Structures are given as C-alpha cells and as structure tokens.
Amino acid sequence: MLSKIILNAIFLFSVLTVFAQTDDGKKTHTKVLKLTNNVYMLQGKGGNIGLSIGRDGIFMIDDQYAENIEQVQNEIKRVSDKPVRFLVNTHFHGDHTGGNPAMAETGTVIFSQENVRRRLQEVIAKETKRISESALPMITFTEDLTFYFNGEKIFVFHVHNAHTDGDAMVYFMGSNVLHTGDVFFNGKYPFIDIENGGSLNGYIAGLEKAMMVINEDTKIIPGHGDEGTFKDLRKTAEMLNTIYKRVYSQYVNKKTEEEVAKMTDLTEEYDREGYGSGFINTENFLRMVYKEVAKELGKDAEDRETRNKEAMKKYKEIEKKLKEKEKN
Ligand SMILES: [Zn+2]
C-alpha cells in the first residue's frame, strides 16, 4: 500500500502536465514549459501565463480565469515554493485577469496600464459578473515600467489601441523572452476588441513596436497559441498588412461587407495554414477588417465633406461682400 502511494506521488511529481475539472465540466490541460533558465510559460484554459522564477521570488504575467486559478497556483508551486511578488496584467479580459483576486489575497502586487484598471472598474460597476474590488491592479503606468528582478531587467511597455486600449508587452531583457499579451495570436487570426479601444492599425503598429524591441533570437510567449519566434510574429504582421490591403481595395471598389465576408480568396494562403481555425474564423476576421476599413475611409469622406461645406460657405460670403461693394 505504502509503495503504491509513493509510486503515485512519484508519478504525479514527475509529470508537469495535469488535468483538472473546471466549472463547465470540461477537463483543462495545463502545461508548464521551461523556456530559459528562469523564464517559464504556463498554458491552460485562458491566455498564456509568463513566469520568471529565481532568487528574488516569482514575477508573473496574467492569471487566466477565476475558476482555474487554484490549478495555476498549484502548478507554480510544483516549480517553486517562493511567493509570487509581482503580477502584470497584459490587458483587462477575464481570461487574463480572472485570477487577480486570488493572487492579491496571497500578497501579490498587481500592475497594469492605467486603462486596464479603468476597464476592470467598469466591469465591476456593471455587475454583469460578480468580481471583487481586489481584482483591480494596485499600481498602474501610462507608457512603460521597468522591473529589476531575478538578475535581469524586465521592460513592460504599452502598445496603443491594439487588442484593447490598455495592452502591455513584457520583455525579459536578459533571458530574451517577450510576452506579447493578446497583441499576438500565434498562427491564428486575432480577436481585436474594437469596443474597448482596440484597432487593426494599432494592432499592426504594436507588432512593429515589438519587432523593434526584440531580436531574431527572442523566444515569444503569445497571448494565445504555442511558443513563437520573431519570424512567427513578423508573419502575423505581414498577414494583417496583406489582408488589410486586399479588403481596402475591395471596399474602394464598392463591395459590401456581405460580399467581402465570402471572398475566401482574400485569405486563401493563410486559411490553408490554419489561421482560421482559432477563436476567430475567416468570415468573422474579414468582417472585422472590413469594418475597420469602412470606419477609416468613412471618416475621411466625412472630413472631406465638412471641409467642402466650409469652403463653400466662405466663398459665398466673399461673393456677397464683393456684390455689396459693387453696389456702393
Ligand atoms: Zn484578450
């Protein structure tokens, strides 16, 4: 009996992959990957978690759903019994911040871009979900923030109006690992939360900013999907630029959203690689890009119209004055 218990214990501790029951009854797969000496990636039900584990303790990026946090905490304990001192939220979505109250309870200090705190406050005020005030980050920043932790510089920087209006990326400078938050879905069409300040152009600009900060050897923890490389990130930026241009020319040619949503040739080479098999399928992605183009060009047209109207008004005033002068 005792040997069986020991064997079971050995088995449990030797496997870094476990299954747990979640609220919806589905089994969740949680996996911890060691990327460098002290940086880890934890994959589970929500967004990918990044961890720096070393002599100063644990630095954490995102904490998935509330219902999974115990499992996440247990997974972390299997690697280290040190406390999680700091946690950065890459944005406010519940699959990245759901564990905040439980983390705060253990004494972890939570950081985020200031719009993340504001968005979370809105969610709490709407009371659509019961979320405790302790979910709110205790410290916020506007542009960037640097941690000196576990022997390296950890650079946290804001990318504007990308996936939301509060996105942050986290770059472990010594380990050369970047956590992108949801400004990178590796190998999939991204979700852009336009209602909460996200935009396609900001998303592309965010990827470009990331490429300026990192280098070709950087390991990347995407918001969703498997560990990525500089090339994967560049490919996503190219994909977004390409499809944006294609949809743009269809819009200029007076094609409607319904028509463009069915133009599978616009995304063909990416669909073949599985880009449409994630959270956002091809049709929804094309609709999103179309709306972004329409918003941009629609605004342009509106501006032109007001400028024309103003010019016409001025012209008429001048005409009137000239006529009055002639009479005198
Ligand atoms: Zn998100």
Side-chain angles (χ1 to χ4, degrees):
M1 185 63 197
L2 186 66
S3 64
K4 205 177 167 192
I5 291 171
I6 292 169
L7 265 177
N8 278 338
I10 290 169
F11 175 75
L12 275 173
F13 283 104
S14 63
V15 180
L16 273 176
T17 301
V18 289
F19 290 90
Q21 211 78 21
T22 59
D23 282 359
D24 55 12
K26 278 187 201 150
K27 280 190 170 174
T28 311
H29 196 217
T30 302
K31 203 166 66 180
V32 178
L33 279 169
K34 191 171 175 156
L35 303 186
T36 67
N37 252 347
N38 56 353
V39 179
Y40 297 74
M41 165 174 167
L42 192 156
Q43 280 186 298
K45 202 185 168 202
N48 290 325
I49 290 173
L51 297 160
S52 163
I53 300 174
R55 58 168 197 229
D56 298 327
I58 302 174
F59 174 97
M60 182 172 177
I61 304 162
D62 289 345
D63 50 28
Q64 300 185 351
Y65 291 105
E67 65 260 32
N68 283 74
I69 189 63
E70 231 185 280
Q71 190 188 345
V72 166
Q73 286 171 321
N74 289 337
E75 281 301 299
I76 295 170
K77 274 193 202 115
R78 289 151 69 93
V79 185
S80 166
D81 56 6
K82 289 200 169 157
V84 178
R85 295 178 64 187
F86 307 120
L87 165 68
V88 172
N89 289 144
T90 59
H91 61 293
F92 82 101
H93 287 157
D95 56 331
H96 297 257
T97 59
N100 278 8
M103 294 307 299
E105 206 169 288
T106 65
T108 303
V109 182
I110 306 175
F111 295 71
S112 76
Q113 206 278 336
E114 60 181 5
N115 292 331
V116 174
R117 188 184 157 91
R118 192 170 53 80
R119 296 277 179 204
L120 281 173
Q121 272 175 319
E122 283 169 12
V123 176
I124 292 170
K126 276 185 209 149
E127 286 182 340
T128 42
K129 267 190 210 170
R130 272 189 47 210
I131 303 172
S132 135
E133 287 270 336
S134 60
L136 298 174
M138 200 175 268
I139 299 174
T140 66
F141 59 92
T142 50
E143 285 302 325
D144 51 51
L145 185 68
T146 306
F147 290 85
Y148 296 85
F149 196 75
N150 287 340
E152 69 176 317
K153 230 168 141 169
I154 305 171
F155 181 51
V156 184
F157 59 100
H158 176 40
V159 290
H160 296 246
N161 299 95
H163 174 65
T164 65
D165 60 7
D167 300 296
M169 293 196 184
V170 183
Y171 185 41
F172 297 96
M173 295 177 79
S175 304
N176 200 9
V177 177
L178 175 76
H179 191 303
T180 58
D182 279 0
V183 190
F184 179 41
F185 283 59
N186 196 8
K188 305 282 179 243
Y189 294 130
F191 166 57
I192 298 178
D193 191 349
I194 290 160
E195 297 194 346
N196 287 301
S199 73
L200 181 58
N201 285 327
Y203 201 98
I204 295 170
L207 289 169
E208 279 162 3
K209 188 169 176 181
M211 282 189 277
M212 288 196 294
V213 171
I214 63 173
N215 57 57
E216 304 231 341
D217 301 321
T218 305
K219 292 182 174 183
I220 301 177
I221 304 173
H224 296 270
D226 292 333
E227 182 199 342
T229 61
F230 183 89
K231 268 189 187 162
D232 296 327
L233 191 105
R234 188 172 55 201
K235 196 170 172 193
T236 292
E238 281 165 2
M239 177 274 290
L240 292 171
N241 267 314
T242 304
I243 295 175
Y244 177 81
K245 279 183 199 145
R246 289 176 187 165
V247 172
Y248 191 101
S249 73
Q250 294 303 329
Y251 182 89
V252 171
N253 286 323
K254 304 262 186 290
K255 293 283 184 285
T256 65
E257 183 183 322
E258 288 310 311
E259 287 170 318
V260 170
K262 288 180 184 69
M263 292 182 179
T264 46
D265 54 320
L266 300 182
T267 51
E268 204 185 352
E269 71 264 49
Y270 299 107
D271 289 340
R272 237 183 288 125
E273 288 182 52
Y275 272 80
S277 67
F279 179 54
I280 299 290
N281 65 28
T282 304
E283 186 187 326
N284 288 337
F285 180 64
L286 283 170
R287 285 182 188 279
M288 196 241 356
V289 178
Y290 187 92
K291 284 193 182 94
E292 283 285 279
V293 172
K295 200 166 73 185
E296 203 182 308
L297 293 184
K299 198 182 165 289
D300 247 24
E302 245 173 58
D303 287 352
R304 239 192 334 268
E305 210 175 308
T306 10
R307 275 201 307 272
N308 284 346
K309 272 185 188 162
E310 276 167 11
M312 189 56 93
K313 216 171 125 190
K314 267 188 192 150
Y315 171 75
K316 284 195 169 149
E317 276 169 18
I318 293 169
E319 211 182 21
K320 209 174 135 193
K321 273 183 192 160
L322 284 175
K323 275 184 183 163
E324 275 169 12
K325 254 190 189 168
E326 269 172 34
K327 272 186 205 164
N328 297 334

